Amino acid sequence: MYITLEELKNAVQDIKQDDEWVNDSHSKSEHDGVCNGLDMLVRHFEEVKELVWWENLKTDITSS
């Protein structure tokens, strides 16, 4: 089973919006850390996707 980047982004958004458990400054800090980590995860996959796209483009150009 594969997950698309859009599906990952939707899951990240759902997780970030779930803040019912945040009830003090410690859990707020934890939630902020989780959100930052999830944002980093999405950025990583966006960068990898872009890098793969560029590598494929270079391959297509050089093989023409």
Side-chain angles (χ1 to χ4, degrees), residues 14 18 20 28-29 31 35 38 42 46-47 49-51 55 58 61 63:
D14 288 346
D18 177 19
E20 293 178 20
K28 171 78 168 98
S29 292
H31 183 262
C35 290
L38 290 169
V42 169
E46 288 173 335
E47 290 169 1
K49 182 178 179 181
E50 185 175 325
L51 180 63
E55 289 300 317
K58 279 188 346 190
I61 290 171
S63 65

Side-chain angles (χ1 to χ4, degrees), residues 11-56:
V12 164
Q13 184 179 11
D14 288 346
I15 293 167
K16 288 172 61 174
Q17 288 176 349
D18 177 19
D19 61 356
E20 293 178 20
W21 55 275
V22 177
N23 57 15
D24 60 18
S25 62
H26 296 303
S27 57
K28 171 78 168 98
S29 292
E30 184 178 354
H31 183 262
D32 290 346
V34 168
C35 290
N36 288 335
L38 290 169
D39 289 340
M40 291 169 62
L41 177 70
V42 169
R43 272 195 308 276
H44 172 78
F45 280 102
E46 288 173 335
E47 290 169 1
V48 167
K49 182 178 179 181
E50 185 175 325
L51 180 63
V52 168
W53 184 85
W54 278 109
E55 289 300 317
N56 288 338

